[in-house]
Amino acid sequence: MAGLSVFVLSLLVGFEVISKVPATLHTPLMSAANSIHGIIVVGAMLIAASADTVLGYVLAFLAAAFAAMNVVGGYVVTDRMLRMFRGRR
C-alpha cells in the first residue's frame, strides 16, 4: 500500500511540475530527462543477469530495448533543438 501511495503522489507532483514549465523549455527538459533512462538500462542488465526463466529474459530484453530507444531519442531531440539555435553559415 505504501508503494502505491508513493506512486500516486509522484504522479501528482510530476504533473504539477511539468504543467508549470513554459512551452519553450518543455522539449529540452523532456529530452534531457529521457537520458535518465540509462539507469533503467543498467537495471535491465542486472535483472537479465539474475533471470532464471524465459519470461525473465524476455522482460529484461524488452526493458533494455525500450530504455535504450528512449536514451537515443532523448539525445536526438536535444541535438535537433540545439541545431535550431545555431547561426546560419
Side-chain angles (χ1 to χ4, degrees):
M1 192 66 174
L4 182 63
S5 300
V6 170
F7 179 71
V8 170
L9 287 174
S10 65
L11 283 176
L12 294 173
V13 169
F15 178 77
E16 190 65 29
V17 168
I18 294 299
S19 66
K20 304 291 186 212
V21 174
T24 55
L25 293 177
H26 191 266
T27 301
L29 176 68
M30 292 310 293
S31 64
N34 283 340
S35 66
I36 295 172
H37 277 84
I39 297 168
I40 295 174
V41 173
V42 173
M45 287 191 275
L46 290 174
I47 290 172
S50 65
D52 294 331
T53 64
V54 175
L55 179 63
Y57 288 120
V58 169
L59 290 177
F61 173 77
L62 288 175
F66 284 126
M69 285 188 280
N70 209 357
V71 168
V72 171
Y75 284 119
V76 168
V77 170
T78 301
D79 185 54
R80 185 175 177 198
M81 290 295 295
L82 290 174
R83 271 193 263 135
M84 289 174 59
F85 293 107
R86 288 187 192 145
R88 302 212 187 261
R89 292 182 183 188

